[in-house]
């Protein structure tokens, strides 16, 4: 008989980087070109089996608009994991990553598993953020790192799976 572990996971990042699209891809296998922007926050659940353990994610999507920053910060309370998302075609969204990472490090448990997702990897011809630069930042800060695409599904399941594995190691 396997056990069930439940973890709170929060998505953070600037508006438009693809947080809601990544959640939709992960839980429904869908993508919409013009997915409506998230207002405030809401959560969904999704489970993944790892050997004899069922990992149940309670996934909190957030809005990255600055007027919600304090609201978003509040929602990180009790988070076991976070995905900080940027858009590889928009340098400013990567620049803002460190604000979210610093906020997580100051407000959550030191055991929190943080993943960095460079989303919209399908738009590599418009790339503004180098893979190596993001990977180096992730390594320095102890973050999991993948480039993802909610559009093609590249690395979306994989990033959640990597987080689940790391959570179970803790
Ligand atoms: P959020 O504000 O971070 O939740 O971003 P959304 O999920 O609302 O996505 C913003 C826009 O980017 C939408 O028009 C999406 O269709 C588009 N988008 C999201 N992910 C991708 C991706 O991986 N590739 C491409 N080409 N577009 C994406
Ligand atoms: Mg959204």
């Amino acid at each position: 008989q396997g056990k069930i572990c439940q973890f709170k996971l929060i998505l953070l990042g600037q508006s438009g980087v693809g947080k809601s699209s990544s959640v939709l891809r992960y839980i429904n296998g869908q993508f919409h070109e013009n997915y409506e922007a998230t207002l405030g926050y809401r959560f969904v659940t999704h489970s993944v089996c790892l050997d004899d353990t069922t990992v149940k994610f309670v996934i909190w999507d957030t809005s990255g608009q600055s007027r919600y920053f304090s609201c978003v910060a509040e929602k990180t309370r009790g988070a076991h994991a976070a995905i900080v998302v940027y858009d590889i075609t928009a340098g400013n969204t990567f620049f803002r990553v460190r604000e979210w990472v610093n906020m997580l490090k100051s407000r959550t448990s030191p055991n929190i598993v943080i993943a960095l997702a460079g989303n919209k990897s399908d738009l590599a011809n418009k790339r503004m953020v180098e893979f190596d630069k993001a990977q180096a930042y992730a390594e320095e800060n102890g973050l999991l790192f993948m480039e993802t695409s909610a559009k093609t599904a590249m690395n979306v399941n994989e990033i959640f799976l990597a987080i689940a594995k790391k959570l179970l190691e803790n």
Side-chain angles (χ1 to χ4, degrees):
Q1 193 73 15
K3 60 176 177 176
I4 299 175
C5 297
Q6 182 170 307
F7 297 110
K8 175 176 174 179
L9 181 154
I10 187 160
L11 276 102
L12 298 170
Q14 290 309 107
S15 192
V17 297
K19 297 178 299 297
S20 300
S21 298
S22 298
V23 175
L24 189 69
R25 166 62 72 189
Y26 182 57
I27 66 166
N28 279 351
Q30 293 178 345
F31 178 76
H32 299 290
E33 284 295 341
N34 294 299
Y35 194 59
E36 65 178 41
T38 324
L39 286 180
Y41 64 91
R42 55 186 168 180
F43 68 84
V44 292
T45 64
H46 194 73
S47 295
V48 53
C49 290
L50 272 174
D51 300 326
D52 61 344
T53 305
T54 301
V55 173
K56 182 178 177 185
F57 282 122
V58 180
I59 302 168
W60 293 62
D61 189 12
T62 64
S63 163
Q65 285 161 20
S66 55
R67 67 194 155 113
Y68 290 116
F69 189 89
S70 58
C71 173
V72 168
E74 184 65 21
K75 296 299 169 278
T76 63
R77 184 173 306 201
H80 303 95
I83 305 178
V84 181
V85 185
Y86 67 94
D87 173 350
I88 69 155
T89 73
N92 64 309
T93 67
F94 179 68
F95 185 73
R96 299 292 296 276
V97 158
R98 57 192 69 235
E99 280 177 36
W100 299 107
V101 171
N102 292 343
M103 188 267 279
L104 286 166
K105 290 193 166 175
S106 68
R107 287 192 177 238
T108 62
S109 142
N111 287 336
I112 189 170
V113 173
I114 306 175
L116 179 64
N119 192 45
K120 308 197 187 183
S121 63
D122 56 289
L123 300 178
N125 57 327
K126 295 183 188 161
R127 174 187 293 278
M128 296 298 289
V129 181
E130 289 310 318
F131 182 93
D132 290 350
K133 186 178 163 188
Q135 190 176 47
Y137 171 76
E139 262 172 36
E140 276 165 32
N141 290 276
L143 318 179
L144 294 167
F145 171 62
M146 290 186 195
E147 286 193 345
T148 59
S149 171
K151 184 168 183 172
T152 68
M154 189 185 103
N155 279 346
V156 175
N157 286 341
E158 287 80 358
I159 200 164
F160 281 91
L161 190 62
I163 292 166
K165 284 183 180 161
K166 199 165 171 188
L167 282 165
L168 292 181
E169 285 167 12
N170 281 351

